């Protein structure tokens, strides 16, 4: 991917062509998520059951509305939202957006929207993949109207999400492939409550609340089915798995199922809510 072209809306209903040259971290995320986009569409029903506790709580916190709702890192646009909102999705991966309507391609750290053009913002399990999460929060603050809500979810820490950390451990143990460093985009990048709270405050948000949610579906299905789902849907692990030989993949799948059979496969996420207190312009 050399650049992303986005048609940006400007005053008077006119459109501007914006060309963005994504940094290497964004390019990596594009490849990672484009690789699992088809699985996200095919397994949409499973995903909605798996993430249902997050979706239900997020939507309770968001509530119904009538304005434009930004869905940040919208993926295949399958997340349901409370009635009334006009959802506008943005995602880095063209493959994820394929076939979706009301969505544009773009990066969270430079949103292709006008200042104060949304009445709410939401994001399900995407912000930890931003190349610079603070910058992403500042961008959300820029496009939100003063006094409006931002509700988003992120995964909790590795010890509480063994369904994700065990496969990463196994890749390291078997093939010497390390997990991303803590400050790099990744599943657990926003698992530190205090850090996220600090970023939200610094971006101009107040009335901040953080709720912990248990996600149990992977513990209720067999370890083999859980391994299969994680390999099909987990962008980062799937990207590495795809680079192994056929024999290695078969061995890895068996070993991963064994590991997942021996641990608690339920997960833990945070659902954050905040209100924009201070409008800021593009820096
Ligand atoms: C775990 S998926 C979640 C998708 C969707 N929110 C859902 O719950 O169905 C993460 C999504 O974030 C997108 N993403 C990752 N980094 C991004 C970035 N820097 N800017 C915009 N989207 C990004 C990926 O392409 C992917 O679609």
């Amino acid at each position: 991917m050399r650049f992303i072209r986005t048609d940006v809306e400007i005053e008077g209903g006119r459109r501007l062509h914006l060309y963005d040259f994504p940094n290497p971290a964004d390019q990596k995320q594009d490849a990672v998520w484009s690789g699992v986009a088809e699985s996200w569409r095919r397994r949409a029903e499973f995903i909605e059951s798996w993430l249902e506790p997050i979706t239900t709580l997020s939507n309770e916190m968001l509530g119904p509305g009538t304005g434009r709702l930004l869905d940040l890192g919208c993926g295949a646009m399958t997340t349901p939202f409370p009635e009334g909102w006009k959802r506008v999705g943005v995602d880095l991966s063209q493959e994820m957006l394929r076939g979706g309507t009301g969505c544009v391609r773009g990066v969270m750290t430079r949103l292709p929207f006008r200042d104060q053009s949304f009445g709410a913002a939401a994001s399900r399990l995407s912000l930890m993949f931003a190349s610079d999460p603070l910058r992403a929060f500042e961008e959300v603050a820029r496009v939100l109207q003063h006094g409006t809500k931002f509700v988003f979810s992120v995964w909790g820490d590795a010890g509480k999400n063994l369904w994700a950390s065990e496969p990463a451990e196994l890749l390291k143990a078997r093939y010497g492939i390390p997990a991303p460093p803590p400050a790099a985009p990744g599943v657990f990048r926003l698992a530190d409550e205090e850090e996220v709270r600090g970023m939200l405050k610094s971006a101009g948000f107040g009335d901040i609340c953080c709720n912990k949610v248990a996600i149990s579906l992977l513990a209720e299905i067999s370890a083999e089915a859980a391994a299969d789902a994680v390999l099909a849907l987990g962008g980062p692990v799937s990207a590495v798995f795809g680079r192994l030989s056929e024999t290695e993949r078969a061995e890895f799948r068996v070993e991963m199922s064994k590991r997942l059979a021996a641990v608690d496969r339920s997960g833990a996420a945070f659902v954050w809510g905040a209100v924009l207190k201070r409008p800021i312009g593009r820096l």
Side-chain angles (χ1 to χ4, degrees), residues 47-128:
I47 291 169
E48 293 315 316
S49 314
W50 179 32
L51 304 181
E52 192 272 334
I54 294 176
T55 312
T56 302
L57 178 59
S58 302
N59 285 348
E60 273 170 26
M61 290 163 67
L62 190 60
T66 51
R68 293 197 339 148
L69 166 78
L70 171 64
D71 181 2
L72 203 63
C74 60
M77 296 276 283
T78 55
T79 314
F81 285 108
E83 61 187 52
W85 290 111
K86 182 183 180 319
R87 179 226 299 244
V88 179
V90 64
D91 200 285
L92 178 58
S93 160
Q94 186 80 61
E95 290 303 313
M96 274 285 191
L97 296 175
R98 188 184 297 265
T101 51
C103 48
V104 292
R105 191 170 182 209
V107 286
M108 296 185 218
T109 42
R110 189 174 174 203
L111 291 172
F113 304 111
R114 281 186 290 131
D115 293 359
Q116 300 175 35
S117 55
F118 286 90
S123 178
R124 190 174 71 177
L125 302 174
S126 299
L127 274 149
M128 32 322 170

Side-chain angles (χ1 to χ4, degrees), residues 160-268:
K160 295 208 168 61
N161 286 291
L162 298 176
W163 62 273
S165 54
E166 283 291 312
E169 284 290 320
L170 185 58
L171 282 170
K172 190 169 169 205
R174 272 187 95 100
Y175 306 110
I177 301 168
V187 179
F188 307 120
R189 171 66 186 90
L190 293 179
D192 181 333
E193 269 185 80
E194 281 320 301
E195 187 190 15
V196 173
R197 198 175 289 278
M199 287 184 189
L200 284 169
K201 280 188 191 157
S202 154
F205 290 95
D207 296 347
I208 299 168
C209 66
C210 174
N211 296 294
K212 296 185 177 71
V213 189
I215 311 294
S216 58
L217 186 66
L218 294 184
E220 291 159 12
I221 59 178
S222 69
E224 289 75 17
D228 193 43
V230 173
L231 289 173
L233 302 170
V237 70
S238 173
V240 181
F241 178 72
R243 294 209 300 269
L244 302 178
S245 71
E246 209 172 307
T247 315
E248 286 170 335
R249 282 207 293 267
E251 287 168 1
F252 185 82
R253 200 179 273 278
V254 170
E255 193 56 35
M256 181 171 154
S257 300
K258 273 196 212 152
R259 282 214 181 199
L260 290 186
V263 298
D264 177 2
R265 296 189 294 280
S266 54

Side-chain angles (χ1 to χ4, degrees), residues 113-162:
F113 304 111
R114 281 186 290 131
D115 293 359
Q116 300 175 35
S117 55
F118 286 90
S123 178
R124 190 174 71 177
L125 302 174
S126 299
L127 274 149
M128 32 322 170
F129 304 110
S131 55
D132 178 345
L134 173 58
R135 182 83 190 112
F137 289 141
E138 288 169 350
E139 274 294 87
V140 174
R142 180 183 65 76
V143 302
L144 274 181
Q145 287 142 14
H146 185 69
T148 58
K149 286 185 194 169
F150 177 28
V151 175
F152 65 94
S153 50
V154 294
W155 289 113
D157 68 37
K160 295 208 168 61
N161 286 291
L162 298 176

